[in-house]
Amino acid sequence: MTSKLFFKSTLLFFSLLIVSCGSSKKAIPQVKPSTDNVTLTSSSTDVTFKTGAENFESYLPLLKDKRVGIVTNQTGILSKEKHLVDFLIEQNINLQKIYAPEHGFRGTADAGELIVDGKDTKTNLPIISLYGNNKKPKPEQLEGIDILVFDLQDVGVRFYTYISSLHYVMEACAENNIPLLVLDRPNPNGTIIDGPILEKEHKSFVGMHEIPVLHGMTIGEYAKMINGENWLKDSLQCELKVAPCLNYSHEMKYILPVKPSPNLPNDQSINLYASLCFFEGTNVSLGRGTEKQFQIYGSPFLPESEFDFSFTPKPNFGAKDPVHNGKLCFGEDLTEIRKVHRLELKWLLKAYENTADKTVFFNDFFTKLAGTKKLREQIEAGMTEKEIRKTWQEGLELFKEVRKKYLIYE
């Protein structure tokens, strides 16, 4: 860590006890919670770093003597051994309900798989699914809740649905006069701001706001933007508090301690996710049904003469019926390439160019992922990656100016 970054990080440690959205400046009482007989380790190799969930002084006083609900999954941890839900119960916090996003509370469901309500076998707490037809908590599902906690590990990509869940949770809280406490976590793609800006007419659960594919914000910063840009229905305002990470900057390398979802198994997949996820809107597999999800791509329609790598998708954890199940696919293995620092289109363009029947390359989901019809039209028109990227620049510059207003970290 450079001396300049260390100075900034140290300054953040003493100044960022809590960040709230809107005009409220009320500080949270600095009451040190009891952690007797609890051994906690930071999920970063930097011992001075703490996630928002580990920044106990900033949020435990808010939960004392309150009936608490929590939106979380397997990523809501304090260490590899201790989940936040278990810790809060140990601290005598009155947890009432768990609300689970896509992939479920334990993070084992396929993308898009229907999750049903149930009970957590360890704590016996009721679990309410926030997916399928119930993306926003209903008033009756929030009954008996004084404050809602949100703790999910995001990856900084518009079509990763945890920020869509955040939107609906904020809206439900605003409608039901329930404060929301977001426990912030680092963005592993926190330095990248890139891609086409979503257009309103293409809003969906995989893209709800007019932002680029990679937004370069933590989930706490993003929550502030949702409020500040009046994105909630009828310009509602959520009573929002953010427990910030300590000694964090967007440039900090952060290795996620657990998989954020079943098909993002490692840092390489998380780094390549934004670039390769566009294949979900095509006839090309991005490795679901293998052990290299979002690190390889290929299809039976790509010629073996142009691609010397092959694989055969088969049902596995997180992919019960993968694209091209049981079929030999030709493509590329990207597991060993250097980390990318932008949204890369070269693999998408290469696959399109080498597909003989281009009329069946795209499907309707592609426009939802892109957030615009223009990207498909540009590819079909034969534009180069450089030419396509140039059309994003004006929108990206405008977004960067808006983004500045909501940053918590240098």
Side-chain angles (χ1 to χ4, degrees), residues 56 59-60 78 82-91:
F56 307 121
Y59 71 88
L60 279 184
L78 302 171
K82 187 170 292 292
H83 195 281
L84 178 64
V85 166
D86 300 324
F87 171 73
L88 292 177
I89 290 173
E90 288 175 2
Q91 296 298 303

Side-chain angles (χ1 to χ4, degrees), residues 152-163 185-195 211-222 248 250 256 260 264 270-271 273-275 343 399 403:
L152 293 173
Q153 175 64 63
D154 191 45
V155 297
V157 179
R158 186 180 68 214
F159 34 70
Y160 202 63
T161 61
Y162 294 167
I163 57 174
R185 291 184 180 270
N187 177 355
N189 291 307
T191 60
I192 312 176
I193 304 167
D194 204 7
I211 63 168
V213 172
L214 288 141
H215 53 72
M217 305 176 78
T218 67
I219 204 158
E221 292 170 329
Y222 198 83
Y248 171 69
H250 285 271
L256 271 60
L264 290 181
I270 291 167
N271 180 237
Y273 171 70
S275 300
L343 177 64
F399 172 76
R403 172 181 174 271

Side-chain angles (χ1 to χ4, degrees), residues 222-369:
Y222 198 83
K224 291 178 61 185
M225 180 179 276
I226 290 175
N227 247 1
E229 295 302 303
N230 297 310
W231 284 338
L232 299 180
K233 183 178 67 176
D234 301 325
S235 297
L236 288 167
Q237 289 289 295
C238 172
E239 184 181 339
L240 174 69
K241 298 281 185 185
V242 179
C245 302
L246 297 179
N247 286 345
Y248 171 69
S249 74
H250 285 271
E251 291 75 23
M252 179 186 291
K253 180 180 179 181
Y254 183 70
I255 298 174
L256 271 60
V258 297
K259 293 190 292 187
S261 53
N263 287 291
L264 290 181
N266 53 35
D267 293 334
Q268 186 77 340
S269 64
I270 291 167
N271 180 237
L272 294 174
Y273 171 70
S275 300
L276 296 189
C277 195
F278 282 120
F279 282 126
E280 301 271 42
T282 73
N283 63 6
V284 176
S285 165
L286 44 71
R288 293 186 190 273
T290 76
E291 299 302 315
K292 297 181 178 181
Q293 306 97 319
F294 291 97
Q295 300 157 84
I296 60 177
Y297 75 89
S299 92
F301 308 109
L302 294 178
E304 183 178 2
S305 59
E306 296 294 329
F307 297 90
D308 58 5
F309 174 73
S310 65
F311 62 94
T312 303
K314 296 178 181 179
N316 70 352
F317 177 82
K320 293 181 176 64
D321 185 22
V323 172
H324 302 313
N325 186 3
K327 297 179 180 178
L328 184 63
C329 298
F330 298 98
E332 285 191 87
D333 184 352
L334 308 176
T335 55
E336 301 297 328
I337 68 166
R338 297 181 65 179
K339 184 177 181 180
V340 301
H341 297 282
R342 67 179 191 177
L343 177 64
E344 293 287 356
L345 293 178
K346 58 187 176 184
W347 302 302
L348 178 65
L349 294 175
K350 183 176 180 180
Y352 178 78
E353 290 164 2
N354 283 279
T355 297
D357 186 358
K358 293 177 173 50
T359 63
V360 296
F361 183 79
F362 292 105
N363 61 52
D364 292 340
F365 193 50
F366 186 85
T367 295
K368 286 187 176 182
L369 291 170

Side-chain angles (χ1 to χ4, degrees), residues 99-244:
Y99 302 83
E102 183 178 7
H103 306 297
F105 176 49
R106 297 297 177 187
T108 57
D110 288 4
E113 182 180 351
L114 178 64
I115 304 297
V116 296
D117 296 346
K119 271 192 175 184
D120 178 41
T121 55
K122 184 174 182 179
T123 63
N124 217 30
L125 289 170
I127 300 173
I128 297 170
S129 172
L130 298 183
Y131 197 60
N133 295 323
N134 189 54
K135 295 181 176 67
K136 184 168 83 172
K138 296 178 175 65
E140 58 268 26
Q141 294 172 328
L142 292 170
E143 284 181 4
I145 300 297
D146 298 319
I147 185 170
L148 199 60
V149 177
F150 190 100
D151 186 25
L152 293 173
Q153 175 64 63
D154 191 45
V155 297
V157 179
R158 186 180 68 214
F159 34 70
Y160 202 63
T161 61
Y162 294 167
I163 57 174
S164 298
S165 294
L166 173 66
H167 173 107
Y168 282 123
V169 166
M170 290 178 67
E171 196 167 271
C173 285
E175 291 171 341
N176 293 276
N177 298 310
I178 296 173
L180 179 67
L181 170 65
V182 174
L183 307 185
D184 211 6
R185 291 184 180 270
N187 177 355
N189 291 307
T191 60
I192 312 176
I193 304 167
D194 204 7
I197 305 293
L198 179 135
E199 298 165 350
K200 281 184 178 180
E201 58 266 34
H202 300 298
K203 174 182 174 181
S204 72
F205 196 59
V206 292
M208 299 194 66
H209 308 125
E210 295 171 72
I211 63 168
V213 172
L214 288 141
H215 53 72
M217 305 176 78
T218 67
I219 204 158
E221 292 170 329
Y222 198 83
K224 291 178 61 185
M225 180 179 276
I226 290 175
N227 247 1
E229 295 302 303
N230 297 310
W231 284 338
L232 299 180
K233 183 178 67 176
D234 301 325
S235 297
L236 288 167
Q237 289 289 295
C238 172
E239 184 181 339
L240 174 69
K241 298 281 185 185
V242 179

